[in-house]
Amino acid sequence: MRMFLEPEFTPPKHRTVHPEHLPLFDRVLRESEDSELQEQAAVGLTTFARESLADISRSFDILRRHLTENPDAVVQLQCAMALVAADDQDSADPVELRSS
C-alpha cells in the first residue's frame, strides 16, 4: 500500500552558512562576471549580516560598486539588502544619487 502514496519532500528549515564562506562570497563579487553568482554571493553576505555571523564590512566597497555600476537590477537589489542588513550608513548617498 505504501508504494502508491506520493512522496513528501520537505525543504530544509534553514540554510547553512559558515563564516568560512565569507572570503568566497567577497571574491565572487570582485572577480565573477556571472550575475547569478553575484546575486547569490550578495544573498550570502546579507545572511551573515542579518544573523550577525560575521562582519561583512570588508565587502562594503564592492557591494557599493555593484549597487551603482552593475546593470543587473537583481544584483543591485541584493547588494542593497546586504548593505542595509549590515547597517552601512555610508551607502545611503549612492542610493539617493541613483534615485534622482
Side-chain angles (χ1 to χ4, degrees):
M1 189 61 146
R2 278 186 77 114
M3 66 183 188
F4 296 111
L5 297 176
E6 290 291 322
E8 184 177 321
F9 298 102
T10 56
K13 294 185 188 217
H14 58 84
R15 291 174 36 175
T16 304
V17 182
H18 298 284
E20 303 89 53
H21 296 153
L22 182 62
L24 174 65
F25 293 149
D26 185 76
R27 186 173 177 192
V28 166
L29 285 172
R30 292 181 191 284
E31 298 177 10
S32 177
E33 297 295 323
D34 186 323
S35 61
E36 289 182 36
L37 290 176
Q38 293 169 344
E39 175 189 346
Q40 291 305 310
V43 168
L45 291 175
T46 302
T47 303
F48 279 126
R50 185 181 307 128
E51 298 180 13
S52 301
L53 297 173
D55 179 21
I56 68 164
S57 61
R58 74 180 218 183
S59 299
F60 284 175
D61 64 321
I62 192 64
L63 288 167
R64 288 183 196 131
R65 187 167 355 133
H66 281 293
L67 180 62
T68 57
E69 298 175 10
N70 195 306
D72 190 325
V74 176
V75 173
Q76 290 176 355
L77 175 65
Q78 293 302 333
C79 289
M81 291 178 66
L83 291 165
V84 168
D87 196 30
D88 179 33
Q89 301 290 322
D90 296 333
S91 294
D93 291 335
V95 174
E96 288 178 42
L97 290 174
R98 190 145 172 97
S99 65
S100 54

